[in-house]
Amino acid sequence: MWKSSSRTLLVHNGKVETIAAALVSTTRMMYFSRCVSLFCFFVSVFFAANTKSASVSLQKADHYADLYNWADSKPLYLTAERELPRGTPDQIHAHLGYLRATMEERSLPELSNYVATVLNTAAVASNPRLRLWCLGIKGDVDGEMDSASARADWEEANRVAKQLGDLKWQSRSAAEAGFEAYLQGDIATGRSSVAAALVTAHKTGDVGAEIRYLSAIGTGIEWNGAYKEAVVY
């Protein structure tokens, strides 16, 4: 009887040990799974916070760019470009904004060619708002080199703005095309386009455009030697 009881106890102990081992293994798996879940949760929260911060940076950068204050937009566009999900419209927008904000530091012919390449990518070609932004930046770059190319950029931007029903950029792009027309010798078109855009900017409260046009007009008058008149602008 004693031997039989001993065997029974051993069997029972073996079952207990097996059950205990299974419980420990299950507990460890549950703990590991919970740790992984918590890790994924905190990672998602971190990236969501970064994306939100980057979106705020992009909004601030666009505000400065709208006032033609590219110097202050520069670090904000860089932050947004780095932190936003790569390849998204906002990230491409920030990338292009940073290129515009740093164009004085770059080779303009190379930059123009690069922006032209971006303009023809599927992500930009299929997104009219992004295409308008890209055309405006190319117009600014080309405007430093060749008025004919810049005028073509801005005229195309004007067509896209009309498709979007964007009155602000219809007016802005028409004015920029007018500046280039003026430089090409088409004085009448240049004057009428810029004058109309200045009136529109004043009526609609487009402060950035008013600053841009009045400064350009003042510079043009200064070039003609009328320094006293230029100071007014």
Side-chain angles (χ1 to χ4, degrees), residues 169-216:
W169 277 100
Q170 284 181 47
S171 178
R172 284 192 173 197
S173 57
E176 296 296 339
F179 284 131
E180 303 305 331
Y182 186 91
L183 292 174
Q184 288 182 294
D186 189 349
I187 309 301
T189 298
R191 283 177 175 172
S192 62
S193 296
V194 175
L198 181 57
V199 171
T200 299
H202 183 70
K203 286 182 177 179
T204 59
D206 188 353
V207 177
E210 280 195 87
I211 294 170
R212 162 77 171 146
Y213 306 149
L214 290 172
S215 297

Side-chain angles (χ1 to χ4, degrees), residues 121-190:
T121 60
V124 176
S126 62
N127 187 324
R129 179 61 60 184
L130 201 52
R131 180 172 169 77
L132 176 59
W133 177 242
C134 193
L135 282 165
I137 290 170
K138 188 172 186 298
D140 282 346
V141 175
D142 288 344
E144 297 295 318
M145 301 182 293
D146 178 46
S147 58
S149 296
R151 184 176 183 179
D153 296 334
W154 285 113
E155 287 174 346
E156 178 61 20
N158 186 258
R159 285 189 284 272
V160 176
K162 286 179 178 177
Q163 291 171 6
L164 290 168
D166 190 328
L167 298 178
K168 176 179 178 177
W169 277 100
Q170 284 181 47
S171 178
R172 284 192 173 197
S173 57
E176 296 296 339
F179 284 131
E180 303 305 331
Y182 186 91
L183 292 174
Q184 288 182 294
D186 189 349
I187 309 301
T189 298

Side-chain angles (χ1 to χ4, degrees), residues 31-226:
Y31 177 76
F32 177 76
S33 177
R34 186 174 182 183
C35 287
V36 170
S37 298
L38 286 172
F39 175 76
C40 292
F41 171 74
F42 286 120
V43 167
S44 65
V45 169
F46 173 78
F47 280 111
N50 266 12
T51 300
K52 184 177 180 180
S53 174
S55 296
V56 171
S57 294
L58 182 58
Q59 290 174 4
K60 290 180 179 178
D62 282 342
H63 169 71
Y64 287 125
D66 195 59
L67 296 172
Y68 298 91
N69 182 358
W70 294 102
D72 285 338
S73 73
K74 174 181 170 180
L76 294 165
Y77 276 131
L78 180 60
T79 297
E81 178 190 5
R82 288 176 173 174
E83 295 182 3
L84 286 167
R86 187 154 298 278
T88 59
D90 280 351
Q91 193 271 335
I92 296 171
H93 178 104
H95 174 60
L96 290 167
Y98 181 69
L99 292 178
R100 171 59 184 85
T102 57
M103 64 180 258
E104 290 84 2
E105 306 167 20
R106 302 174 184 273
S107 164
L108 294 179
E110 290 180 6
L111 182 56
S112 176
N113 290 335
Y114 175 74
V115 176
T117 300
V118 174
L119 190 59
N120 290 320
T121 60
V124 176
S126 62
N127 187 324
R129 179 61 60 184
L130 201 52
R131 180 172 169 77
L132 176 59
W133 177 242
C134 193
L135 282 165
I137 290 170
K138 188 172 186 298
D140 282 346
V141 175
D142 288 344
E144 297 295 318
M145 301 182 293
D146 178 46
S147 58
S149 296
R151 184 176 183 179
D153 296 334
W154 285 113
E155 287 174 346
E156 178 61 20
N158 186 258
R159 285 189 284 272
V160 176
K162 286 179 178 177
Q163 291 171 6
L164 290 168
D166 190 328
L167 298 178
K168 176 179 178 177
W169 277 100
Q170 284 181 47
S171 178
R172 284 192 173 197
S173 57
E176 296 296 339
F179 284 131
E180 303 305 331
Y182 186 91
L183 292 174
Q184 288 182 294
D186 189 349
I187 309 301
T189 298
R191 283 177 175 172
S192 62
S193 296
V194 175
L198 181 57
V199 171
T200 299
H202 183 70
K203 286 182 177 179
T204 59
D206 188 353
V207 177
E210 280 195 87
I211 294 170
R212 162 77 171 146
Y213 306 149
L214 290 172
S215 297
I217 292 170
T219 300
I221 293 172
E222 182 184 8
W223 284 353
N224 289 323

